Amino acid sequence: MNYLALEAWIEEEMRTRHVPGLAVAVIQEGELVYARGFGVTGLGEQAVPVTADTLFRVGSVTKQMTAILILRLVEAGLLDLDRPVIDYLPEFRLSDAQATEAITLRLLLAHSSGLINQADHYGSRDPQGLRRYVLHEISKLPVWYVPGQVFSYSNNNYNIAGLIAETVTGCSYDDLMQEYVFDALGMSRTTFDPLRAMGLGLAMPVMRGGDGEWSPLPVFPENTVNHPSFFAMSSVRDLAHLALFHMHRGQFGGRQVVRADLVDEMHRPQQRNYYTSRLAAGLGIFSNVRKGVPLLTHFGDISSYSADIITVPTHKAAVIVVNNNEFPIYDILYKILDQLVPGTEATGDTDAPTEDRELWQRLVGVYYGPFCGQLEIAVEEEQLILRHNGTRRALRRHADDLFACLDEEGTHVATLGVVANEGDIDIVTVNNNFAKRLNRVPKRWEPTAEQLSAYTGTYAHHEIVSCEITAQEGRLSVTDEHGTVELAPYREHLFLHPHFGTYLFEVEADGQAERLLWSHFLPMKRRETP
C-alpha cells in the first residue's frame, strides 16, 4: 500500500472541494495498520488538526450500533426478533391497524416495515423525546407498504427499536448503548452527547452560503428522537473496532460480545434491493459483492458530514472514512480496498434474459411513490418505455425482475425493479425507490397564478438544506445546489420534480404556503417571501 501517494491525493482533493477535515483507518489481516487525520476540525482560528481520534458525526452508521444493542438483548432473552412490536409496546399504534399487528423487530432492522423515512436534524433534547415521538407522532404517518413486502429505508424503524430497548430494560437508549455497545467494543470516545464530544475534540460541520463562501454551520444538529438511527459521534479508531466485531463474528478483545449465529443473522440478506448489484439489507448493515468479493457496508450522512465502513470478512480487511463536508468518499474507500483485496474483474456482461411480452403487459400502468413521483409504463412501437415525471426512457430487460432504463444514447442511467413476478404487479422501483400502482390516475391539477405566487419563497430545513421556489409565466420552478428546474403540478399543492422527488406545499388558512415537504419526508420551512 503506497500511503504517501494516497495521502497526497486526499490532501489535493480536500483543497479542491473545500473539505476542512477528514480521517481514514485501514484494517489488514485483522489488525488496525493505519489511522490518520487530515486537515483541521473546522473553519477559523479555533480549528485544530484532525487526528484518528477526532470525533465526527457518522449519520446512519449508527444503525449498525443500534442493531448490535438489539441482538445483545435478544441473546439475553429480553427480546425476540420475530415477536410483534406491540408485545413490547402495547400502546404503540400505526395509521394502519394491520401493520400495527404485523411489524416485528426483524422487519424494523431490515427496513421492511413499510414506514416512510424521516430525518429532522433538530428537535427535542429531552431524553423522553424518543418515547413521545414513537408513541404519539409515528401513528400519524402513512404506512406505504405491507410490512415485509419490500425494502423501504426509514430512520423510524430504528427509532422504534431504540424505544423497545428502553422499555424492556428500563434504561435510557444512550445509557444502553454505552454499556452494551461502546464499552463492550472499546469505543471509548463514541457518544451521543454533543458537550462531551466537543470536550474530546469534534470536527464541526460547514456550509456554503448563497454568496459561495464557506462558513461554520450556525446550529449544531440535535434531536433525541433520532439518536437510534443517525446521531452517534465517533472516530475512525473507534469505528475500526466496529469493523473488527463484524469480521470476527461478534468477537472483540478476546470476548464474544454477540453470539456468532446472531452475527451471522445480522449479515444474512433479509430483504432484496432492486439494483443490478447484489446489494441486500441485513440487520443494521448491508451486504454486497464487488469484483467478486463479498463485503459489508453502511453509509451515513448528516448535516455536512458523511461516513462509511466497508468490511471484507473473508480477507479480514476494512476501510473507514469520515469527513465534515461533501467529498467523494467512495473514491478513497475503493482506492484503498482495491489494494487490500484483489478482486476478480468481471469478464463481461452476462446474457440478459429474453424480453417477455406477457410481462410487459402486466407492467403497463401508472405508479406513484413518495420519492420518485409518478411513473408510467407503456408499450410504444414494439418497445417497453418508462415515463418518469416528464422524461421518457426505453426499458431493456437486464434480469428476470430488472430492467435497464436507457437514455437517448442507449446508456443505462437507472434501474427499474419489478417486485412481483407472478400475478398482478402492484409495485415497481426506480433505483430502489418504490412506487405503487394507481388504480385511478388523478386528474392533472391546474394551479392558478394566485396559488403559484403563494408558494414562492425560500425554504430551508434549518441551515442544512435550502431551495428557492419561483413562479413565472404560469410555471413553478425550484432552484437548489443542483440548478434550476421546472416543477410539474400533479394534484392540489403537490408538484413533481422532473428527475427525483416531490414537493408538497402546506398552505395556511390565508392561502400562503409556510412549509413544504420534500418527497413526503424532509420538512422545509419558508424563510422569506420575495
Side-chain angles (χ1 to χ4, degrees):
M1 176 75 69
N2 186 345
Y3 286 112
L4 289 178
L6 174 70
E7 290 168 355
W9 176 81
I10 289 174
E11 288 168 348
E12 179 59 31
E13 287 292 316
M14 289 176 68
R15 281 191 292 271
T16 301
R17 298 172 184 273
H18 303 280
V19 176
L22 180 146
V24 177
V26 177
I27 295 173
Q28 190 172 12
E29 296 181 358
E31 298 289 338
L32 180 63
V33 297
Y34 180 87
R36 190 200 146 173
F38 296 81
V40 293
T41 54
L43 304 175
E45 297 179 356
Q46 295 182 341
V48 297
V50 171
T51 73
D53 294 313
T54 299
L55 295 177
F56 291 74
R57 282 208 182 274
V58 298
S60 289
V61 174
T62 306
K63 292 180 174 69
Q64 291 186 47
M65 307 175 198
T66 299
I68 291 170
L69 167 64
I70 296 299
L71 292 179
R72 293 206 68 189
L73 296 178
V74 168
E75 185 171 352
L78 295 175
L79 295 174
D80 185 316
L81 290 174
D82 298 308
R83 283 184 63 181
V85 164
I86 57 171
D87 284 0
Y88 303 110
L89 295 175
E91 63 271 54
F92 176 72
R93 294 294 181 272
L94 296 173
S95 58
D96 182 302
Q98 290 183 323
T100 302
E101 299 283 340
I103 289 178
T104 64
L105 272 167
R106 184 186 300 276
L107 296 181
L108 292 174
L109 298 185
H111 290 294
S112 52
S113 68
L115 288 169
I116 197 168
N117 201 5
Q118 169 272 337
D120 200 331
H121 293 64
Y122 299 91
S124 174
R125 300 179 66 183
D126 180 354
Q128 292 300 310
L130 175 62
R131 174 169 292 274
R132 285 196 299 270
Y133 176 78
V134 170
L135 297 183
H136 302 295
E137 298 301 323
I138 287 182
S139 62
K140 302 173 186 176
L141 302 177
V143 178
W144 281 86
Y145 309 103
V146 175
Q149 185 178 31
V150 296
F151 172 89
S152 182
Y153 191 91
S154 176
N155 293 316
N156 285 323
N157 293 324
Y158 281 75
N159 298 332
I160 296 168
L163 180 60
I164 291 171
E166 286 192 348
T167 302
V168 300
T169 61
C171 301
S172 74
Y173 168 80
D174 291 9
D175 288 345
L176 288 170
M177 291 296 290
Q178 187 66 51
E179 177 183 355
Y180 282 83
V181 182
F182 304 155
D183 289 348
L185 296 180
M187 300 172 70
S188 60
R189 300 173 73 83
T190 304
T191 184
F192 292 97
D193 183 348
L195 294 179
R196 179 169 183 263
M198 291 176 187
L200 291 171
L202 174 68
M204 302 303 293
V206 298
M207 63 176 289
R208 191 173 191 174
D211 57 1
E213 294 298 316
W214 294 92
S215 62
L217 193 70
V219 183
F220 193 68
E222 176 60 346
N223 188 353
T224 56
V225 165
N226 291 313
H227 277 199
S229 52
F230 66 105
F231 261 75
M233 289 163 278
S234 191
S235 68
V236 288
R237 197 185 304 278
D238 274 11
L239 294 177
H241 296 184
L242 195 59
L244 290 166
F245 165 89
H246 287 294
M247 69 177 61
H248 294 300
R249 296 180 68 207
Q251 285 190 2
F252 181 80
R255 176 190 173 203
Q256 193 73 43
V257 177
V258 176
R259 213 170 60 221
D261 63 300
L262 286 175
V263 178
D264 292 344
E265 190 65 14
M266 184 181 188
H267 297 169
R268 184 179 69 82
Q270 306 277 332
Q271 188 68 52
R272 168 74 187 281
N273 280 240
Y274 289 84
Y275 288 114
T276 53
S277 70
R278 290 166 62 181
L279 183 72
L283 303 177
I285 201 162
F286 292 88
S287 62
N288 206 345
V289 176
R290 181 176 182 270
K291 296 184 177 181
V293 178
L295 53 84
L296 301 169
T297 184
H298 201 309
F299 176 75
D301 66 349
I302 174 174
S303 180
S304 67
Y305 300 94
S306 60
D308 204 343
I309 307 171
I310 295 182
T311 305
V312 188
T314 55
H315 291 69
K316 297 293 188 287
V319 186
I320 303 104
V321 178
V322 296
N323 59 274
N324 63 346
N325 198 15
E326 292 183 7
F327 191 84
I329 192 168
Y330 286 101
D331 289 358
I332 302 179
L333 288 161
Y334 292 146
K335 186 183 285 285
I336 299 173
L337 194 66
D338 287 342
Q339 295 181 62
L340 289 177
V341 180
T344 55
E345 294 284 357
T347 56
D349 291 338
T350 57
D351 292 335
T354 58
E355 297 293 351
D356 182 345
R357 300 299 177 112
E358 181 183 351
L359 176 61
W360 284 14
Q361 294 304 319
R362 289 164 52 211
L363 274 168
V364 167
V366 179
Y367 304 78
Y368 179 84
F371 289 95
C372 49
Q374 180 171 295
L375 314 173
E376 180 184 358
I377 300 175
V379 178
E380 297 179 357
E381 300 178 352
E382 299 299 308
Q383 172 67 58
L384 189 67
I385 63 105
L386 168 70
R387 287 193 180 87
H388 179 203
N389 294 356
T391 61
R392 184 184 186 277
R393 306 290 189 202
L395 294 174
R396 183 184 66 204
R397 201 170 186 196
H398 181 88
D400 288 345
D401 55 3
L402 296 174
F403 288 81
C405 305
L406 309 176
D407 65 13
E408 293 178 355
E409 287 74 40
T411 303
H412 183 168
V413 293
T415 301
L416 179 88
V418 182
V419 174
N421 54 21
E422 293 183 7
D424 295 334
I425 295 172
D426 293 323
I427 298 177
V428 297
T429 76
V430 174
N431 288 348
N432 214 45
N433 294 296
F434 290 83
K436 296 171 70 173
R437 182 185 291 273
L438 296 177
N439 295 321
R440 184 177 63 85
V441 180
K443 181 181 178 181
R444 183 71 68 172
W445 173 59
E446 297 293 340
T448 66
E450 184 179 3
Q451 286 173 316
L452 292 178
S453 177
Y455 302 135
T456 59
T458 300
Y459 296 80
H461 181 71
H462 305 282
E463 299 296 333
I464 299 171
V465 179
S466 65
C467 67
E468 183 179 359
I469 304 295
T470 56
Q472 189 173 10
E473 297 181 355
R475 296 179 175 88
L476 203 68
S477 297
V478 58
T479 301
D480 58 20
E481 59 184 304
H482 304 294
T484 300
V485 295
E486 184 179 324
L487 300 175
Y490 185 63
R491 56 179 171 79
E492 189 170 19
H493 308 314
L494 178 64
F495 292 76
L496 306 180
H497 192 284
H499 307 301
F500 185 78
T502 58
Y503 290 74
L504 176 63
F505 294 90
E506 298 183 1
V507 177
E508 300 295 311
D510 62 2
Q512 291 294 311
E514 293 300 326
R515 203 171 82 134
L516 74 78
L517 200 58
W518 179 76
S519 294
H520 300 265
F521 145 67
L522 187 69
M524 303 178 73
K525 189 176 180 180
R526 186 186 194 143
R527 282 202 306 215
E528 59 187 62
T529 303

